[in-house]
Amino acid sequence: MHVEPSPTRTDDLDGAVAVFVPHRKRLFGIAYRILGSAVEAEDVVQEVWLRWQKTDRSVVANPAGFLSSATTRLAINVAQSARVRRETYIGPWLPEPVDTSADPEVGAQRAEAVELALLLVLEKLTPVERAVYVLREAFDYAYAEIADMLELSVVNVRKIVSRARRHLLDERRESVDAAEHRRLLTAFVSAARTGDVASLEALLAPDVVSLSDGNGMRGCARLPVLGRARVARLSAYRHLWREAEPELVDANGATGVVVRRDGRTLAFMTAAASKYGIHQVMWVFTPSKIAAFLDSRSRFTRSLDTVPDGV
């Protein structure tokens, strides 16, 4: 027998959706920066939505704060379990790239902490330190707001932000602008496809490192590759580029490259560069991460423009 939903229940659910949807973009951005995975970030946002439905919303004075706090806490829990899982990961682990053509900042007030290289550095912080840094630097939450979200003292939050900034300052280099980054990456791909090792070396910084995320895939480097000559030779690997069709894409607020052959995506690649040249080359070969990137734009757009799942 079909039973029509009661007007009260329908109105209540409509109200929950009306509050949640405008914040969903920001919630995804928080979770993604903490986790480095669009798939896991979407799972966190979906769980927050389920919790929001079950919450007595009449007593929530600040819905935006409630949702951001719930997202941050859940993302920290997932990050803590992910750290344990990654102890068995084979070879370098890289964050899961996300298509940012629709929104280069992925829901943040500033583009901070969305670049793949920076997300990788953030992995060296504890999940709580990462969350505090993200909330402050990317989303401009006040120290008192962050302290309330994570049940920390304001003094402790300030110390964590200061410590994280110092750590990142030690790890990061001043990046080239977007146009120069795109030029370097385009030249890199052109030289790699033709096997022009000398031209590749000219694009690389002396201490360049290449990281390949394949989680044990055959033919994928399981250790970081260091130095101009070795990185240039690796990047010009003929088997990868044979009959390949590279495509420039927007990924994590910068230019990336998707490498396809016969309609199948083989790899994703991007790089970090300074005035001395490309100093970090990042390859993603793991099929699940490539699939997540290819799906990220449609999934992200769908998550913002439609009613949340389960409604």
Side-chain angles (χ1 to χ4, degrees):
M1 181 177 66
H2 175 71
V3 178
E4 292 291 338
S6 68
T8 302
R9 170 59 182 161
T10 301
D11 292 345
D12 186 51
L13 197 55
D14 287 345
V17 172
V19 172
F20 184 85
V21 169
H23 296 293
R24 187 164 188 168
K25 185 177 180 181
R26 170 176 287 235
L27 304 182
F28 174 88
I30 291 171
Y32 174 69
R33 284 168 171 80
I34 295 172
L35 296 169
S37 167
V39 173
E40 290 179 342
E42 284 288 1
D43 288 344
V44 165
V45 173
Q46 183 64 21
E47 177 61 28
V48 172
W49 160 244
L50 295 174
R51 293 189 180 192
W52 179 240
Q53 290 182 74
K54 298 173 183 177
T55 296
D56 181 0
R57 295 180 294 279
S58 65
V59 300
V60 179
N62 180 6
F66 175 93
L67 294 170
S68 295
S69 179
T71 299
T72 302
R73 288 171 176 271
L74 279 170
I76 288 173
N77 290 340
V78 173
Q80 288 169 337
S81 62
R83 176 166 286 190
V84 175
R85 293 197 306 272
R86 287 171 194 159
E87 290 178 358
T88 60
Y89 205 83
I90 302 173
W93 178 91
L94 291 175
E96 183 184 288
V98 62
D99 187 313
T100 49
S101 56
D103 177 13
E105 297 184 359
V106 194
Q109 289 180 225
R110 297 193 291 267
E112 182 67 22
V114 73
E115 302 94 336
L116 213 64
L118 179 54
L119 286 175
L120 184 58
V121 175
L122 284 178
E123 282 290 317
K124 297 180 180 180
L125 304 178
T126 69
V128 171
E129 289 173 335
R130 204 181 314 154
V132 169
Y133 179 85
V134 163
L135 291 171
R136 179 61 187 167
E137 296 300 305
F139 294 89
D140 203 29
Y141 282 96
Y143 290 107
E145 290 179 293
I146 300 170
D148 185 55
M149 284 184 195
L150 301 180
E151 297 183 355
L152 300 170
S153 70
V154 174
V155 171
N156 197 11
V157 169
R158 288 183 179 275
K159 287 181 179 178
I160 291 173
V161 172
S162 178
R163 190 163 59 242
R165 284 173 178 165
R166 288 197 305 270
H167 179 78
L168 295 177
L169 187 62
D170 292 339
E171 294 276 350
R172 297 178 70 186
R173 306 185 192 188
E174 186 174 352
S175 300
V176 296
D177 62 29
E180 176 63 6
H181 180 269
R182 190 179 185 88
R183 185 195 71 79
L184 286 168
L185 203 60
T186 301
F188 180 96
V189 171
S190 177
R193 291 182 73 189
T194 58
D196 188 347
V197 173
S199 293
L200 278 171
E201 288 192 36
L203 296 169
L204 304 175
D207 59 346
V208 63
V209 58
S210 177
L211 303 172
S212 299
D213 183 323
N215 196 18
M217 288 180 61
R218 184 178 179 183
C220 183
R222 299 189 180 188
L223 294 172
V225 177
L226 307 174
R228 275 178 175 155
R230 295 185 66 199
V231 172
R233 288 197 301 271
L234 176 72
S235 301
Y237 184 46
R238 290 183 179 180
H239 181 70
L240 172 64
W241 297 108
R242 177 174 47 83
E243 299 180 0
E245 300 174 0
E247 175 192 356
L248 295 181
V249 294
D250 292 317
N252 296 72
T255 301
V257 179
V258 168
V259 182
R260 294 189 176 93
R261 183 189 300 128
D262 298 328
R264 186 169 68 91
T265 303
L266 305 176
F268 167 88
M269 188 273 284
T270 191
S274 70
K275 62 182 180 180
Y276 301 106
I278 294 173
H279 59 83
Q280 189 176 44
V281 182
M282 291 161 281
W283 298 90
V284 176
F285 294 99
T286 303
S288 61
K289 291 187 177 183
I290 292 174
F293 172 76
L294 297 177
D295 189 49
S296 62
R297 185 177 186 183
S298 61
R299 184 177 65 248
F300 182 55
T301 302
R302 185 169 65 249
S303 73
L304 301 182
D305 295 340
T306 64
V307 175
D309 294 340
V311 177

